[in-house]
Amino acid sequence: MKKMLKTKNNLTNLCFSALVLIFVTLLSISCDSIVEVTDPDIVTPESLDNEAGLQTLRAGSLGDLAVAMSGSAAGHGATTGLIVMSGLMADEYDYSGTFPTRREADTRNLQDINFDMNRIYGNLHLARSGAETTIDLLANFGGDPEIESEMQSIVGFSYILFAETFCGGISFSKAPADGGDLIFGEPLSKQEMFTTAIDWFDQAMTNASGNDKLANVARVGKARALLGLGQIDDAANEVATVPTEFVYNIEHSDNSRRQENGIYIMTTVRRQFSIADGKGGNGLMYRSAMDLRVPWDGGTEFGQDDITLYYNQLKFNSSSAPVALASGIEARLIEAEAAANADDAGTVQDIHNGLRATMGLSDLDLTGISGDDLLLAHFAERAFWLFSTAHRQGDLRRLVDVHGMPASEVFPWGDYFKGGQYSANLKFPVPQSESNNPNYVGCLD
């Protein structure tokens, strides 16, 4: 993974030129990625234009996705990822550090020059661009359906993550594989991002023929996009064949600081993101529930800010701990959401109790629960299963946008525990660095 990052002109200005031209300000702030692409002697452009080079590009795209999602130990003070930052925007974490950009996420009062979000924005586009480049160059070698399928799913997930956590107005520019001029993308609405993701997942399923794991990655991804569009029954149908035991992980390693799991680094090592409990009045009781799905310890010392009691997550208990990107558990949760949306409490209860039995958890009793209460009961279960995997902010937004609940009843609201109040804003802005794109319009919504 790291070799790819040390190629300034690799991909014939494909993966990185898009970032350089669109996100000029990132050149000075992306400590763990952009400033390392200065040594073309490690992986030359010519060496990438072959079958072995394609594996390097594939690994680079997966590595960029890992950094965008989980963060890493690289960079000054380590690197934040979308998982912890979106957890702050929702109800999973309280910020127990001192960086103002992270406190902005904790209160949802974000500026479009936010350092952390600029970096995540760039890394997520790097993962997408690298995957698209790999797909384009495969044509030179007769194609490889399995690599194409995996990379198409990575592109699809990048669109989903932007749609769930950012406002509408994201542009997806492209650097052609032949080294031509950058093609500036047009701003897309949230709905357009979800729809585009579905197109990529459909392609991934076609190329995954015979490889059940890759097909299931695409099925879960497509269903997630369908949920975002409010097509809940279609989402449930999409994952009906995905086995519960299926999982596709974002991998981490202690081979290098960049490959380390940034969630572990930012929590256990640096004590900056503390597990919340009833955040902003509406947040779930992640600690008080004493639930095996959200293991934690702490409460006896302060976080990095020396004023906030620190509660450490134990779900990711090492720098090499993987993070699930798609799973069969998520497939069952999607089916449960369809049942909850249909006010079918019996099916919701059966699905959840089937999942809970796999961990020895006691049964839920949803007798007599209906309407919004049933949906909230389901979303609470979903939150414990998918804790700290970049789902919760998107889930809370879906409760508002698709299921019609007031934001003030599902997001943390009111007084902020360090002073001030939580903002009514529910999403990350398009970074100002995108204004280098002549099509830039800021947030559409």
Side-chain angles (χ1 to χ4, degrees):
M1 296 181 189
K2 194 161 186 174
K3 287 185 177 179
M4 184 216 182
L5 299 173
K6 294 186 176 181
T7 310
K8 182 168 185 177
N9 294 316
N10 69 352
L11 320 181
T12 319
N13 290 327
L14 297 170
C15 297
F16 298 121
S17 64
L19 193 68
V20 170
L21 292 173
I22 302 175
F23 315 122
V24 172
T25 59
L26 285 177
L27 288 173
S28 62
I29 64 176
S30 188
C31 302
D32 66 310
S33 56
I34 303 306
V35 298
E36 293 185 11
V37 290
T38 55
D39 293 318
D41 58 312
I42 303 299
V43 180
T44 64
E46 294 78 14
S47 70
L48 292 169
D49 195 18
N50 55 57
E51 294 184 58
L54 289 173
Q55 290 295 342
T56 301
L57 297 181
R58 170 186 171 272
S61 175
L62 295 176
D64 286 325
L65 180 66
V67 175
M69 290 283 288
S70 305
S72 75
H76 175 67
T79 299
T80 49
L82 185 63
I83 288 172
V84 290
M85 287 291 279
S86 65
L88 290 179
M89 289 283 283
D91 63 349
E92 293 179 321
Y93 290 108
D94 290 318
Y95 188 51
S96 53
T98 57
F99 283 60
T101 51
R102 296 162 195 172
R103 179 165 170 161
E104 285 181 12
D106 203 16
T107 62
R108 301 196 302 276
N109 279 293
L110 285 119
Q111 301 183 67
D112 60 7
I113 57 171
N114 186 288
F115 169 89
D116 287 274
M117 289 316 304
N118 257 323
R119 183 159 54 182
I120 291 168
Y121 185 84
N123 283 329
L124 198 51
H125 272 303
L126 272 176
R128 172 191 62 84
S129 178
E132 290 180 349
T133 296
T134 305
I135 295 165
D136 291 344
L137 291 180
L138 276 168
N140 296 337
F141 307 99
D144 184 319
E146 291 191 356
I147 294 180
E148 287 182 70
S149 176
E150 184 179 36
M151 293 293 97
Q152 285 160 343
S153 284
I154 296 306
V155 176
F157 275 108
S158 72
Y159 277 87
I160 283 177
L161 293 166
F162 277 121
E164 288 183 346
T165 60
F166 284 79
C167 64
I170 305 296
S171 297
F172 296 82
S173 299
K174 183 177 178 61
D178 62 4
D181 293 338
L182 183 71
I183 302 170
F184 288 104
E186 295 287 343
L188 300 185
S189 68
K190 182 178 73 172
Q191 289 73 21
E192 288 172 325
M193 286 186 267
F194 281 131
T195 300
T196 304
I198 289 171
D199 291 340
W200 281 102
F201 288 123
D202 282 339
Q203 296 176 61
M205 278 186 272
T206 298
N207 282 316
S209 178
N211 188 316
D212 290 341
K213 182 174 184 178
L214 292 177
N216 288 331
V217 173
R219 290 187 183 107
V220 173
K222 180 177 179 179
R224 186 169 171 179
L226 288 167
L227 286 182
L229 291 172
Q231 299 174 26
I232 301 172
D233 289 338
D234 290 342
N237 292 334
E238 191 64 49
V239 295
T241 61
V242 178
T244 303
E245 62 272 16
F246 158 73
V247 64
Y248 177 91
N249 284 323
I250 296 172
E251 300 293 345
H252 292 283
S253 169
D254 56 10
N255 287 336
S256 71
R257 290 178 61 80
R258 187 178 190 275
Q259 292 172 278
E260 292 185 50
N261 184 320
I263 306 169
Y264 171 78
I265 298 299
M266 285 295 187
T267 55
T268 305
V269 177
R270 299 189 62 81
R271 303 196 320 277
Q272 289 196 32
F273 294 81
S274 176
I275 291 185
D277 206 41
K279 181 175 180 177
N282 297 322
L284 295 181
M285 307 298 285
Y286 291 105
R287 301 195 314 265
S288 297
M290 299 302 291
D291 193 296
L292 295 174
R293 294 167 294 185
V294 185
W296 62 273
D297 65 10
T300 59
E301 60 181 338
F302 292 117
Q304 188 207 42
D305 61 2
D306 286 330
I307 59 173
T308 305
L309 271 181
Y310 183 71
Y311 299 91
N312 180 47
Q313 66 78 31
L314 299 176
K315 181 174 182 176
F316 307 104
N317 59 5
S318 75
S319 60
S320 59
V323 179
L325 179 65
S327 70
I329 290 175
E330 185 175 354
R332 302 291 82 78
L333 294 171
I334 291 169
E335 293 173 331
E337 185 167 340
N341 191 56
D343 222 11
D344 182 356
T347 299
V348 177
Q349 178 176 290
D350 289 344
I351 293 172
H352 282 305
N353 286 341
L355 290 177
R356 289 171 70 90
T358 64
M359 290 194 69
L361 298 170
S362 60
D363 283 351
L364 292 177
D365 183 0
L366 300 178
T367 304
I369 299 178
S370 63
D372 285 354
D373 290 337
L374 181 59
L375 276 168
L376 290 172
H378 158 69
F379 271 81
E381 277 292 287
R382 180 177 164 92
F384 278 90
W385 282 112
L386 302 179
F387 177 78
S388 200
T389 56
H391 284 81
R392 185 61 171 164
Q393 183 188 356
D395 286 354
L396 293 183
R397 287 181 67 186
R398 189 163 70 257
L399 278 171
V400 176
D401 296 339
V402 173
H403 295 291
M405 295 187 187
S408 59
E409 294 182 9
V410 295
F411 273 87
W413 215 259
D415 293 335
Y416 177 60
F417 76 106
K418 290 185 180 181
Q421 292 198 322
Y422 292 99
S423 169
N425 169 55
L426 310 180
K427 45 196 174 281
F428 296 112
V430 180
Q432 187 186 68
S433 55
E434 181 65 46
S435 63
N436 292 286
N437 181 345
N439 300 321
Y440 170 78
V441 295
C443 285
L444 295 174
D445 49 0

